[in-house]
Amino acid sequence: MACGTARPAPPSSPAGFDDVAASWAGPDALMRRVEAAQAFAARMRGEGDARALAAALFPGSLSASTGSAIARAESPAQAIALLLVSPEFLRR
């Protein structure tokens, strides 16, 4: 092989998130979403109001059960985590 004729290695695959139900609908996938939501909410350190955020993101379409769960949260971080894993937030 002559100098300068070698082909570069192909780029690796951008391993993102699958777009198939099997990757998102299982119990393991649900636990990963809950853990990610908890980690994100913990990084907010209590800053942010989940009720205000829910009202801004889902005006007039937040379900009563989601609103109730957020209102009953034990901490602001838990309220944010509950909002992030709510059906409204996960809907495509």
Side-chain angles (χ1 to χ4, degrees), residues 2-85:
C3 184
T5 60
R7 291 186 160 181
S12 60
S13 168
F17 296 104
D18 291 339
D19 195 21
V20 293
S23 298
W24 292 96
D28 182 54
L30 177 62
M31 282 306 300
R32 285 184 285 159
R33 287 195 301 268
V34 169
E35 289 167 355
Q38 288 174 329
F40 179 80
R43 295 180 87 189
M44 293 182 66
R45 297 184 181 146
E47 297 173 20
D49 180 0
R51 289 186 222 178
L53 182 58
L57 292 174
F58 310 108
S61 63
L62 190 70
S63 70
S65 61
T66 298
S68 176
I70 291 169
R72 291 185 326 221
E74 294 178 5
S75 68
Q78 186 182 50
I80 292 289
L82 288 169
L83 176 62
L84 293 175
V85 296

